[in-house]
Amino acid sequence: MQTHPKKRIDLIIEMPLLRRITERFDKAGVSGYSVLPIVAGRGQSGEWSAGGQVSEVGQMAAIICIVDAGKVDAVLEEVFAVIRKQIGLVTVSDVSVVRPERF
Amino acid sequence: MQTHPKKRIDLIIEMPLLRRITERFDKAGVSGYSVLPIVAGRGQSGEWSAGGQVSEVGQMAAIICIVDAGKVDAVLEEVFAVIRKQIGLVTVSDVSVVRPERF
Amino acid sequence: MQTHPKKRIDLIIEMPLLRRITERFDKAGVSGYSVLPIVAGRGQSGEWSAGGQVSEVGQMAAIICIVDAGKVDAVLEEVFAVIRKQIGLVTVSDVSVVRPERF
Amino acid sequence: MTLTDLAAQNLLSPMVLFFAVGLFAAFAKSDLTVPEPVAKLLSLYLLMSIGFRGGAEVAHHGLTVQLAGTIGAGILLSFAMPFVAYTILKRTSRLSAVDAAAVAGHYGSISAVTFAAVTGALNQLSVPFEGYMVAVAAAMETPAIISALNLARPHRDQPASGNGNHVWREVLLNGSVITLLGALVVGMISGPKGLATVKPFFVDLFPGFLCLFLLDMGLVAGRGLNQGRKYLTASLGIFAVIMPLIGASIAAALAFAIGLSAGGTAVLMTLAASASYIAVPAALRLALPEANPAIPLTMSLGVTFPFNLLLGIPLYIAVANAITTPH
Amino acid sequence: MTLTDLAAQNLLSPMVLFFAVGLFAAFAKSDLTVPEPVAKLLSLYLLMSIGFRGGAEVAHHGLTVQLAGTIGAGILLSFAMPFVAYTILKRTSRLSAVDAAAVAGHYGSISAVTFAAVTGALNQLSVPFEGYMVAVAAAMETPAIISALNLARPHRDQPASGNGNHVWREVLLNGSVITLLGALVVGMISGPKGLATVKPFFVDLFPGFLCLFLLDMGLVAGRGLNQGRKYLTASLGIFAVIMPLIGASIAAALAFAIGLSAGGTAVLMTLAASASYIAVPAALRLALPEANPAIPLTMSLGVTFPFNLLLGIPLYIAVANAITTPH
Amino acid sequence: MTLTDLAAQNLLSPMVLFFAVGLFAAFAKSDLTVPEPVAKLLSLYLLMSIGFRGGAEVAHHGLTVQLAGTIGAGILLSFAMPFVAYTILKRTSRLSAVDAAAVAGHYGSISAVTFAAVTGALNQLSVPFEGYMVAVAAAMETPAIISALNLARPHRDQPASGNGNHVWREVLLNGSVITLLGALVVGMISGPKGLATVKPFFVDLFPGFLCLFLLDMGLVAGRGLNQGRKYLTASLGIFAVIMPLIGASIAAALAFAIGLSAGGTAVLMTLAASASYIAVPAALRLALPEANPAIPLTMSLGVTFPFNLLLGIPLYIAVANAITTPH
Ligand SMILES: Nc1ncnc2c1ncn2[C@@H]1O[C@H](COP(=O)(O)O)[C@@H](O)[C@H]1O
Ligand SMILES: Nc1ncnc2c1ncn2[C@@H]1O[C@H](COP(=O)(O)O)[C@@H](O)[C@H]1O
Ligand SMILES: Nc1ncnc2c1ncn2[C@@H]1O[C@H](COP(=O)(O)O)[C@@H](O)[C@H]1O
Ligand code: NA
Ligand code: NA
Ligand code: NA
């Protein structure tokens, strides 16, 4: 099948900031994104686990966003406007898609 | 360590169709796949969230499948036979594995 | 935005072994990792699903770890010391990050 | 008791008030959420409790001609209402034929939590009703799906694709259908004696669990409205209030013909008036994938459910009282 | 009943013992975990139960001058305690001004499960308390956040950025605040009659649910201590024990002035002594992102909560008894 | 009461019937699922309830010689049964030595929900049993694991690797072991008075929670059989039914020697007859990773558990009755 190159942006961010980040995605004009739960992790600020937690403070979530290469910079700029002071991790990678028109 | 190139297929699809899709994976002869939950997202049909939902309608799930490059087309064909009329997103990317024989 | 190449290591491993693996990550000196739940899957040992399960035996989890390319071999060696006898799947792929100093 | 009294008492019940709290939180965009597994537990509990208690009642009273008649009436309603709904929708709305058929299927079927709410209201008013009504509810869940598929068939591009059996399996083996029917059978077999052993859980906790579930329903309905407002044209919004009244009226006539009690009449009316938002959407997502699932869901959960909960139920109880009281 | 008796009875109660089991499991690095959605269900249940019962009591007794006075005292405490806490912290610890303000905000606000624990202990001792204290608890949740933001403002690099309204929305519409207030209103509207219908769920199960929740709290507090030990300098550890005593003392004086009963006095003291670990951390994560959330959480959950649960509550009850007993 | 009566009453109990509903749904490939966090909540509840009530009974009756003797018998059974099981398996099946040792370990240990089921059945029959049997159950969980590791040791390729301590920690600190033992201790300390405060939750709801849990067990056992059928050779299938009978027989002899009541004898027989599917699989996954975990799980959950639930328990009660009735 013919495939077309796109970019995949992966974020790992603090859960309480989810809404602020997704608002930025909307602003950057992405066509969509998906949020995946993270249940545990470790980083510079130590280990954490979602188990038994009532509050979202200290919890993380993952966001996946498939975008056109031309939009990557706009998304990164929006995202870094929010996570400057917060814990967050952003990666960009190459993917191929079959139906390029939806992004 | 010596690594070998393989392909990673990522699907984001409607949860009620999960079983139909995985049946297609079996048909395409993949050696395995994993299903990850998605808890929220946005797309052309708007925002959704799994929170508080009893039914799976409108919910999405992610499927990850590591395959040999030679099988990618077969998998995509099977997959697109199901998701033609449904909401779904497919990406393919390059990965390296250490034990090539299991795929 | 200027981006820097890093490696993304993805593991899919048996949940009861999670702690042993993350101890190996610490040993390999990675700066962090995140654990994502997997809810169902299929492999050589058949199909499984987390639904209704009390025990973690037979369940899988995903670990994502962004590292510097120079650390990949050390991580793989540590990881394969544990999963030799167990079910587990490891892939490595290329990603770009914006803030290289945190890895 | 007058309709105003009934309505007031209903609106002041903790269940309805917790629904309102949920609605408010959703409209105010609070981050309050009932975790998804908890929502599923609540639904599982309600279905098991409803089914078990209904089955134990049937075991107690035995199978009667009236029971058979009422189940027959329920099946008839579920089969027929989608045709009524479809006709109205095609005349008043701009829905495509397939979407209209899907919506019609939702309104032919029933909502288990609306059933729970009417039984809760009747219990609070000490109005007895036929215990086998849960069997009627179970019988009304699926026939509407057949009607919807039949209504849609001439308008579908893709060939029928012969997976009719496939679809039937998925409909009949739907988790919520199995739970309700399974609990009904368990209740019938283990009877009042079995019920006694689990009464503190399945009977005494019911109103409390219903409060939690209705809080969640309020949140979900409110968010559904926030999201689905774009689908809610004036005509669909009106339909979502009128169709329950039409269904309830037909049901009232049938109940009168069968000779149901006031409570049973109110329950049958409520069943007819309620619209599915769990079993039917799941089935149609597989059997009629061209239909946009958000349209019927927004109507059913966002308009019809709140309407029935807040105003419909006291109205149906009042009407049921009126038509069953000897003059 | 002497303080020793009270302390012994408290330490032997199932709730406190299950908390100890959780602590032990966490310190021993057991894999025991309460799944996150279950923890959220437990918290939802506790807030609904506390709120509903408090509301029903208010409906029963009506709104009084004393109620207004006590709510006023609670708001005052919540506003003022952060200033006391901040002053102490700046003198005794090396926390940055922003972190000190964040910690101070946590100690001005309250912990709902500590409230649940003191009411549980009073019920077990058959000591009555003013039912409206839940309204006081609700009123004390948020004022401390304003104080914390005011304390931090001069020390923040980033401009105030004018999103004050944004923050207020997020604080007031926080899920736990809405649940508690919503249930309070439901209880006030549906009253004792509404409470009767849901008593088996919201009243009878309360001690059992509290056991489960405290098991979870023990696990989370123990893990928090394992992880956050590095933040717990001697001065912060001492603060986390002294500050509750200071808060409780001020509250005792206010309660005496208002003329609260022994039970009410114990509750107000416990509220003042408790530190938030759900509503305030969530609000500050958004409003004061420069602060390290782990510092106040470790202090509040890892030290102050266990201290109050194990020793503080019997102490506050004993003091409340002493100051309200006529000589 | 005859064996047939007992069996009939057992098969008509809501718990067993809900298990059958779950099995049916799994075999019919319904999408019915109990969410994983809910299943964990149910398990947590059952362990806390069993442990707490057992502890309160021990507190009530005190520690006796018979208690010590019964615990000793339980530990002996758990140590010894794996050797019996291993010998049979090596003669009748083609399992590798390591897999046979793993299976043997499962059958030496116990299943907490089977324990719950037998106590539920005895309660329904109003047959009293020694309250400390829960302590016996707890004591029987882990010795079998040592035996399994000893049986496997000569056949393992990898060196013993000196992580024996590591494994012991993981076994003894396993979440389900800690919960049961922790609740037992809480029950012993807080005693009948503590139990009274949480009775509506931990006692009254027990049969209802057990229904939910058994529905889930039916689903999981059915799915396990669907998936693991390939491992179930004729010899393993027969073993999974015979081994419980062997275990129960040895236990009956020991119970007779100790002089347990009819109820206590039935419980000890059931414990011996039951096979672990939570604590032992988890421990062996870490301590004996070469073993295929699906083999013992399929046998234990797919065959032995249903056998005990449906037929074994009434049989053990009947035998216990017979051997303890004075002639
Ligand atoms: N290198 C990494 N790879 C994957 N996840 C990471 C990495 N570093 C941090 N994280 C995730 O981000 C969270 C916060 O990281 P930190 O701010 O470094 O404490 C961690 O607990 C992990 O869940
Ligand atoms: N570009 C994207 N990247 C990641 N996830 C997406 C993207 N587009 C859509 N999705 C996911 O797919 C769902 C349905 O998309 P849509 O059909 O466009 O409404 C969304 O709610 C997201 O969860
Ligand atoms: N090719 C694959 N791609 C993604 N996940 C896989 C793949 N193979 C195996 N898995 C996951 O690993 C689990 C165990 O695999 P196996 O050991 O082959 O039975 C499966 O149930 C899947 O969840
Ligand atoms: Na209907
Ligand atoms: Na306070
Ligand atoms: Na055994």
Side-chain angles (χ1 to χ4, degrees):
Chain A
M1 272 189 191
Q2 211 205 317
T3 58
H4 307 261
K6 296 281 165 193
K7 291 287 181 180
R8 169 174 164 149
I9 304 178
D10 275 283
L11 269 73
I12 294 182
I13 50 138
E14 279 194 41
M15 226 188 273
L17 296 157
L18 204 57
R19 207 190 281 190
R20 288 203 189 162
I21 293 276
T22 57
E23 278 165 11
R24 294 292 176 150
F25 274 99
D26 299 351
K27 242 173 121 176
V30 307
S31 68
Y33 54 79
S34 295
V35 182
L36 278 75
I38 304 186
V39 291
R42 191 174 66 67
Q44 279 139 23
S45 39
E47 240 178 288
W48 66 273
S49 151
Q53 298 285 350
V54 171
S55 142
E56 296 191 333
V57 173
Q59 315 291 310
M60 314 290 290
I63 310 183
I64 297 174
C65 179
I66 314 295
V67 288
D68 205 89
K71 274 190 195 154
V72 169
D73 267 10
V75 174
L76 293 186
E77 252 154 53
E78 287 293 339
V79 161
F80 279 107
V82 175
I83 66 172
R84 203 168 304 156
K85 287 256 165 193
Q86 324 274 358
I87 304 166
L89 206 104
V90 186
T91 64
V92 182
S93 56
D94 292 309
V95 295
S96 307
V97 302
V98 174
R99 299 175 186 159
E101 62 287 355
R102 71 169 290 164
F103 302 98
Chain B
M1 271 190 191
Q2 211 205 318
T3 58
H4 306 260
K6 296 280 164 194
K7 291 286 182 182
R8 169 175 165 147
I9 304 178
D10 276 283
L11 268 74
I12 294 180
I13 50 138
E14 278 194 41
M15 227 188 272
L17 296 157
L18 203 57
R19 208 191 279 188
R20 290 206 187 159
I21 294 275
T22 57
E23 278 165 11
R24 294 293 176 150
F25 273 100
D26 298 352
K27 242 174 122 176
V30 306
S31 67
Y33 53 81
S34 296
V35 182
L36 278 75
I38 304 186
V39 291
R42 191 175 65 70
Q44 277 138 25
S45 39
E47 240 178 289
W48 67 273
S49 150
Q53 297 285 351
V54 170
S55 143
E56 296 190 335
V57 174
Q59 314 292 309
M60 314 291 290
I63 310 183
I64 297 175
C65 179
I66 315 294
V67 289
D68 205 88
K71 275 191 193 152
V72 169
D73 267 10
V75 174
L76 293 187
E77 252 153 53
E78 287 293 341
V79 161
F80 277 106
V82 175
I83 67 172
R84 204 168 303 155
K85 285 258 163 193
Q86 323 275 358
I87 303 166
L89 206 103
V90 186
T91 64
V92 182
S93 55
D94 292 309
V95 294
S96 308
V97 303
V98 174
R99 299 175 185 160
E101 62 286 356
R102 72 169 290 163
F103 301 97
Chain C
M1 272 190 191
Q2 211 206 318
T3 58
H4 308 261
K6 296 280 165 193
K7 291 286 181 180
R8 169 174 165 148
I9 303 179
D10 276 283
L11 269 75
I12 295 180
I13 49 139
E14 279 194 39
M15 227 188 272
L17 296 157
L18 202 57
R19 208 191 280 190
R20 289 203 189 160
I21 293 276
T22 56
E23 279 167 10
R24 295 291 176 151
F25 273 100
D26 298 352
K27 242 172 122 178
V30 307
S31 68
Y33 54 80
S34 295
V35 182
L36 277 74
I38 304 186
V39 290
R42 191 174 65 69
Q44 278 139 24
S45 39
E47 239 177 291
W48 67 273
S49 148
Q53 298 285 350
V54 170
S55 143
E56 295 190 335
V57 174
Q59 315 293 309
M60 313 290 290
I63 310 183
I64 297 175
C65 178
I66 314 294
V67 288
D68 204 273
K71 275 191 194 152
V72 168
D73 268 9
V75 174
L76 293 187
E77 252 154 53
E78 287 294 339
V79 162
F80 277 106
V82 175
I83 67 173
R84 204 168 303 156
K85 286 256 163 195
Q86 324 275 357
I87 303 165
L89 205 105
V90 186
T91 63
V92 181
S93 56
D94 293 309
V95 295
S96 307
V97 302
V98 175
R99 299 175 187 161
E101 61 287 355
R102 70 169 292 162
F103 302 97
Chain D
M1 200 173 242
T2 69
L3 175 56
T4 335
D5 288 347
L6 274 170
Q9 178 155 347
N10 186 55
L11 289 173
L12 299 184
S13 76
M15 293 93 201
V16 172
L17 290 169
F18 273 116
F19 179 76
V21 170
L23 268 187
F24 168 80
F27 289 147
K29 305 213 183 287
S30 162
D31 65 351
L32 178 58
T33 321
V34 175
E36 177 206 344
V38 171
K40 287 184 174 149
L41 167 65
L42 298 175
S43 157
L44 192 64
Y45 171 85
L46 284 194
L47 292 171
M48 284 174 80
S49 170
I50 293 171
F52 193 122
R53 292 190 288 156
E57 285 259 1
V58 173
H60 191 52
H61 290 106
L63 297 162
T64 62
V65 177
Q66 205 190 35
L67 163 58
T70 317
I71 287 185
I75 293 177
L76 185 71
L77 276 165
S78 181
F79 261 122
M81 279 189 296
F83 290 90
V84 179
Y86 183 82
T87 311
I88 299 175
L89 285 167
K90 286 308 291 175
R91 266 164 219 220
T92 62
S93 81
R94 295 206 202 134
L95 287 187
S96 74
V98 165
D99 280 329
V103 172
H106 284 68
Y107 280 85
S109 182
I110 61 114
S111 139
V113 72
T114 313
F115 176 80
V118 71
T119 60
L122 291 171
N123 282 339
Q124 231 185 312
L125 297 168
S126 310
V127 176
F129 60 93
E130 288 76 3
Y132 59 70
M133 290 308 295
V134 65
V136 180
M140 288 179 75
E141 279 207 284
T142 46
I145 300 171
I146 312 183
S147 301
L149 293 181
N150 281 328
L151 284 163
R153 185 171 306 141
H155 309 281
R156 302 180 68 180
D157 340 312
Q158 43 178 186
S161 79
N163 62 359
N165 271 332
H166 205 76
V167 165
W168 271 109
R169 273 187 67 85
E170 287 172 321
V171 168
L172 288 176
L173 296 175
N174 177 289
S176 65
V177 175
I178 290 261
T179 307
L180 188 57
L181 287 177
L184 188 72
V185 172
V186 171
M188 285 174 64
I189 298 178
S190 66
K193 202 178 145 193
L195 184 59
T197 66
V198 294
K199 180 178 168 297
F201 189 68
F202 283 123
V203 179
D204 298 347
L205 300 190
F206 190 78
F209 267 109
L210 195 52
C211 283
L212 256 176
F213 197 35
L214 285 173
L215 174 71
D216 181 47
M217 297 283 296
L219 287 164
V220 172
R223 275 181 201 140
L225 271 180
N226 284 344
Q227 269 303 308
R229 201 170 290 157
K230 55 180 170 287
Y231 302 118
L232 262 197
T233 59
S235 59
L236 292 185
I238 294 169
F239 175 89
V241 168
I242 297 295
M243 188 62 214
L245 299 177
I246 297 176
S249 308
I250 310 178
L254 284 171
F256 186 78
I258 298 166
L260 288 183
S261 69
T265 303
V267 173
L268 192 67
M269 290 175 72
T270 306
L271 285 172
S274 74
S276 175
Y277 60 85
I278 297 184
V280 176
L284 291 188
R285 201 69 206 105
L286 292 162
L288 204 61
E290 313 91 292
N292 179 349
I295 299 170
L297 263 183
T298 305
M299 295 169 64
S300 156
L301 198 56
V303 182
T304 303
F305 178 71
F307 168 74
N308 279 327
L309 187 68
L310 303 177
L311 304 175
I313 287 178
L315 177 64
Y316 310 144
I317 295 178
V319 171
N321 245 324
I323 63 175
T324 54
T325 308
H327 299 275
Chain E
M1 199 172 242
T2 70
L3 176 57
T4 335
D5 288 348
L6 273 170
Q9 176 155 347
N10 185 55
L11 290 173
L12 300 183
S13 76
M15 292 95 202
V16 172
L17 290 169
F18 273 116
F19 180 76
V21 170
L23 268 188
F24 168 79
F27 289 147
K29 304 216 184 285
S30 162
D31 65 352
L32 177 58
T33 321
V34 175
E36 178 205 343
V38 171
K40 287 184 176 151
L41 167 64
L42 297 175
S43 157
L44 193 63
Y45 171 86
L46 285 194
L47 292 171
M48 284 173 81
S49 170
I50 292 172
F52 194 122
R53 292 189 287 156
E57 285 259 1
V58 173
H60 190 52
H61 290 105
L63 298 161
T64 63
V65 177
Q66 205 189 35
L67 162 57
T70 318
I71 288 186
I75 293 178
L76 184 70
L77 277 166
S78 181
F79 261 122
M81 279 190 296
F83 291 91
V84 178
Y86 182 82
T87 310
I88 299 176
L89 285 166
K90 284 310 288 176
R91 268 163 218 217
T92 61
S93 81
R94 294 205 203 135
L95 287 187
S96 74
V98 166
D99 280 329
V103 172
H106 284 68
Y107 280 84
S109 182
I110 60 114
S111 138
V113 72
T114 313
F115 176 79
V118 71
T119 61
L122 291 171
N123 282 340
Q124 231 183 314
L125 298 167
S126 309
V127 176
F129 59 93
E130 288 77 2
Y132 58 69
M133 291 308 294
V134 64
V136 180
M140 288 177 75
E141 280 208 283
T142 46
I145 300 171
I146 311 183
S147 300
L149 293 181
N150 280 327
L151 284 164
R153 184 169 307 139
H155 308 281
R156 303 181 67 180
D157 339 312
Q158 45 180 184
S161 78
N163 62 358
N165 271 332
H166 205 73
V167 166
W168 271 108
R169 274 186 66 86
E170 288 172 320
V171 169
L172 288 176
L173 296 174
N174 177 287
S176 63
V177 175
I178 290 261
T179 308
L180 188 58
L181 286 177
L184 188 73
V185 172
V186 171
M188 285 173 63
I189 298 178
S190 66
K193 202 178 146 194
L195 184 59
T197 66
V198 294
K199 180 177 168 298
F201 189 68
F202 283 124
V203 179
D204 299 347
L205 299 190
F206 191 78
F209 266 109
L210 195 52
C211 283
L212 255 176
F213 196 34
L214 284 173
L215 175 71
D216 180 48
M217 295 284 298
L219 288 164
V220 171
R223 276 181 200 140
L225 271 181
N226 284 343
Q227 269 304 308
R229 202 170 288 156
K230 55 179 171 287
Y231 302 118
L232 262 196
T233 60
S235 59
L236 293 186
I238 294 170
F239 174 88
V241 168
I242 297 294
M243 188 62 214
L245 299 177
I246 297 175
S249 308
I250 309 178
L254 284 171
F256 186 78
I258 298 166
L260 288 183
S261 69
T265 302
V267 173
L268 192 67
M269 289 174 72
T270 306
L271 285 172
S274 74
S276 175
Y277 60 86
I278 297 183
V280 176
L284 291 189
R285 202 69 208 105
L286 293 162
L288 204 59
E290 313 92 292
N292 180 348
I295 298 171
L297 263 184
T298 305
M299 295 169 67
S300 156
L301 199 55
V303 182
T304 302
F305 178 70
F307 168 74
N308 279 327
L309 188 67
L310 303 178
L311 303 175
I313 288 177
L315 177 64
Y316 310 144
I317 295 178
V319 170
N321 245 322
I323 64 175
T324 54
T325 309
H327 301 275
Chain F
M1 199 174 243
T2 70
L3 176 56
T4 335
D5 287 348
L6 273 171
Q9 177 155 347
N10 186 55
L11 289 172
L12 300 183
S13 76
M15 291 96 200
V16 172
L17 290 168
F18 274 115
F19 179 76
V21 171
L23 269 186
F24 169 79
F27 288 147
K29 304 214 184 285
S30 161
D31 66 351
L32 178 58
T33 320
V34 175
E36 177 206 345
V38 172
K40 287 184 175 150
L41 167 64
L42 298 175
S43 157
L44 194 64
Y45 171 85
L46 285 195
L47 292 171
M48 283 173 81
S49 170
I50 292 172
F52 194 123
R53 292 191 286 157
E57 285 259 1
V58 173
H60 191 51
H61 289 106
L63 297 162
T64 63
V65 177
Q66 206 190 34
L67 162 57
T70 318
I71 287 186
I75 293 178
L76 184 71
L77 277 165
S78 181
F79 261 121
M81 280 190 295
F83 290 91
V84 178
Y86 183 81
T87 311
I88 300 175
L89 285 166
K90 284 309 290 174
R91 269 167 216 214
T92 60
S93 81
R94 294 207 202 135
L95 286 188
S96 75
V98 166
D99 279 330
V103 172
H106 284 68
Y107 281 84
S109 182
I110 60 116
S111 138
V113 72
T114 313
F115 176 80
V118 72
T119 60
L122 291 171
N123 282 339
Q124 231 184 314
L125 297 167
S126 309
V127 176
F129 60 92
E130 287 76 4
Y132 59 68
M133 291 308 294
V134 64
V136 180
M140 288 178 74
E141 280 207 282
T142 47
I145 300 172
I146 310 183
S147 299
L149 293 181
N150 280 326
L151 285 163
R153 185 169 308 139
H155 308 281
R156 304 182 67 180
D157 339 311
Q158 45 178 187
S161 79
N163 62 358
N165 271 332
H166 204 74
V167 165
W168 271 109
R169 273 186 66 86
E170 288 172 321
V171 168
L172 288 176
L173 296 174
N174 178 288
S176 64
V177 175
I178 290 260
T179 308
L180 189 57
L181 286 177
L184 188 73
V185 172
V186 171
M188 285 174 63
I189 298 178
S190 66
K193 202 178 145 193
L195 184 59
T197 65
V198 294
K199 180 177 169 296
F201 189 68
F202 283 124
V203 179
D204 299 346
L205 299 190
F206 191 78
F209 266 109
L210 195 52
C211 285
L212 255 176
F213 196 34
L214 284 173
L215 175 71
D216 179 47
M217 296 284 297
L219 288 164
V220 171
R223 276 182 199 139
L225 272 180
N226 285 344
Q227 269 303 310
R229 201 171 289 156
K230 54 178 171 288
Y231 302 118
L232 263 196
T233 60
S235 59
L236 292 186
I238 294 169
F239 175 88
V241 168
I242 297 295
M243 188 62 214
L245 299 177
I246 297 175
S249 308
I250 310 179
L254 283 171
F256 186 76
I258 298 167
L260 288 183
S261 70
T265 302
V267 173
L268 192 68
M269 290 175 72
T270 306
L271 284 173
S274 75
S276 175
Y277 60 85
I278 297 183
V280 176
L284 291 189
R285 201 69 207 104
L286 293 163
L288 205 61
E290 313 91 292
N292 180 349
I295 299 171
L297 264 183
T298 306
M299 296 169 65
S300 156
L301 200 54
V303 182
T304 302
F305 178 71
F307 169 74
N308 278 328
L309 188 67
L310 303 178
L311 304 175
I313 287 177
L315 177 63
Y316 310 143
I317 295 178
V319 171
N321 245 324
I323 64 175
T324 54
T325 309
H327 300 274

